[in-house]
């Protein structure tokens, strides 16, 4: 019977909500979940922006970001995860161009030289409604209204109907900061680099809703751990699940979708299943 984890991050909660069996593969069986190209691109862009925002405010310029990107690139290029992608020269150039487009996209959303940065990559942990929550905040800022939680995203922005759901991550960070310091942040925001800002005022009601959802997920996870029964939740995301080759239901789902023409040609599961 698996034990409940000692800490519960937004990413772990998200994996469990998406598919309990996927959570078990990753967090109990600890099967490898290598980051794909989008995740590595996001990590590279995050690292450059973290270093940029650690510099004094007037020095946070695009030229400085370009210099940092050149400095950080070898870390990414030499990592085993990046090498496992086996990108040829043209694909590596494309990766760098897309990463740079994301980094540069910060300036279309804000002027980083005008931001009062309090911390970057700030670890936060707190007991939230009985859940041992843990997370890492990309950036903690201050403005006239108070503390601002900021998280960078290099992917596509969500549809307006999904804003509440995607904001839960930064609202949980806000709840943890309030629990730890007694100060409630004023705003929580997601910066979709080069695209748009999705944000919310941090209110008692929003914190209660988000904390309640996390507690419900934790409770469901406890039930599954007790019974050691983690259901599969087959769907379109099986096409991107690293465990599809060892998951009967997921494999069947992908095959069905391929037959019906409902699976993208670039879904990694096609390669994993040889279809
Ligand atoms: S392949 Fe699909 S059903 Fe199987 S673990 Fe992954 S997400 Fe869940």
């Amino acid at each position: 019977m698996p034990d409940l984890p000692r800490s519960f991050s937004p990413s772990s909660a998200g994996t469990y909500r998406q598919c309990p069996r996927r959570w078990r593969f990753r967090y109990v069986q600890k099967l490898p979940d290598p980051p794909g190209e989008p995740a590595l691109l996001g990590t590279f862009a995050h690292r450059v922006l973290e270093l940029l925002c650690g510099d004094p405010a007037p020095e946070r310029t695009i030229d400085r970001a370009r210099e940092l990107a050149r400095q950080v690139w070898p870390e990414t290029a030499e990592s085993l995860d990046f090498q496992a992608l086996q990108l040829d020269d043209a694909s590596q150039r494309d990766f760098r161009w897309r990463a740079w487009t994301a980094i540069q996209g910060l300036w279309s959303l804000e002027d980083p030289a005008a931001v009062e940065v309090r911390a970057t990559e700030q670890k936060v942990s707190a007991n939230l409604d009985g859940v041992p929550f843990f997370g890492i905040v990309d950036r903690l800022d201050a403005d006239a209204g108070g503390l601002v939680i900021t998280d960078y995203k290099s992917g596509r922005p969500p549809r307006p109907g999904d804003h509440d759901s995607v904001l839960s991550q930064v609202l949980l960070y806000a709840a943890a900061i309030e629990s730890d310091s007694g100060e409630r942040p004023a705003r929580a925001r997601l910066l979709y680099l080069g695209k748009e800002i999705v944000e919310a005022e941090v209110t008692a009601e929003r914190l209660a809703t988000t904390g309640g959802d996390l507690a419900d997920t934790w409770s469901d996870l406890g039930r599954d751990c007790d019974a050691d029964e983690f259901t599969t939740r087959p769907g379109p995301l099986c096409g991107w699940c690293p465990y599809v080759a060892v998951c009967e239901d997921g494999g069947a789902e992908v095959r069905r979708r391929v037959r019906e023409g409902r699976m993208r040609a670039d879904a990694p599961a096609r390669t994993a299943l040889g279809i």
Side-chain angles (χ1 to χ4, degrees), residues 104-118:
Q104 202 176 19
L106 179 63
W107 277 264
S108 69
L109 302 176
E110 64 177 15
D111 175 6
V115 177
E116 186 182 333
V117 176
R118 290 283 178 88

Side-chain angles (χ1 to χ4, degrees), residues 50-202:
E50 177 197 351
L51 293 172
L52 181 84
C53 289
D55 280 347
E59 293 172 23
R60 295 179 205 141
T61 61
I62 290 195
D63 284 347
R64 175 64 179 147
R66 195 175 283 116
E67 191 183 319
L68 288 167
R70 274 196 293 268
Q71 280 173 24
V72 170
W73 175 246
E75 271 175 38
T76 301
E78 288 161 18
S79 71
L80 293 179
D81 287 333
F82 185 78
Q83 289 181 9
L85 297 177
Q86 299 188 315
L87 301 181
D88 58 23
D89 287 350
S91 302
Q92 284 201 29
R93 275 197 300 279
D94 181 59
F95 179 99
R96 289 177 72 161
W97 173 248
R98 284 183 287 125
W100 174 248
T101 303
I103 293 164
Q104 202 176 19
L106 179 63
W107 277 264
S108 69
L109 302 176
E110 64 177 15
D111 175 6
V115 177
E116 186 182 333
V117 176
R118 290 283 178 88
T120 56
E121 295 294 302
Q122 170 88 38
K123 291 183 177 145
V124 290
S125 58
N127 186 313
L128 300 178
D129 293 330
V131 183
F133 177 77
F134 172 80
I136 301 177
V137 182
D138 284 345
R139 215 177 75 195
L140 187 60
D141 309 329
D143 69 9
L147 290 176
V148 181
I149 312 272
T150 295
D151 203 80
Y152 306 120
K153 299 289 177 196
S154 47
R156 262 186 306 187
R159 290 172 300 190
D162 293 331
H163 282 191
D164 285 349
S165 153
V166 297
L167 281 165
S168 67
Q169 174 194 2
V170 275
L171 287 167
L172 288 168
Y173 294 158
I177 285 172
E178 182 181 43
S179 166
D180 188 47
S181 69
E183 180 178 0
R184 176 178 300 163
R187 284 183 298 137
R189 36 182 229 153
L190 298 167
L191 267 55
Y192 286 87
L193 297 167
K195 299 181 181 90
E196 68 173 282
I197 298 176
V198 175
E199 66 179 340
E201 187 188 345
V202 179

Side-chain angles (χ1 to χ4, degrees), residues 18-19 21-22 25 232-235 237-238 241 243-244 247 249-251:
Q18 183 209 322
C19 175
R21 184 72 59 82
R22 181 170 179 167
F25 282 137
T232 54
R233 205 162 283 161
L237 291 179
C238 293
C241 177
Y243 312 123
V244 70
C247 174
D249 292 352

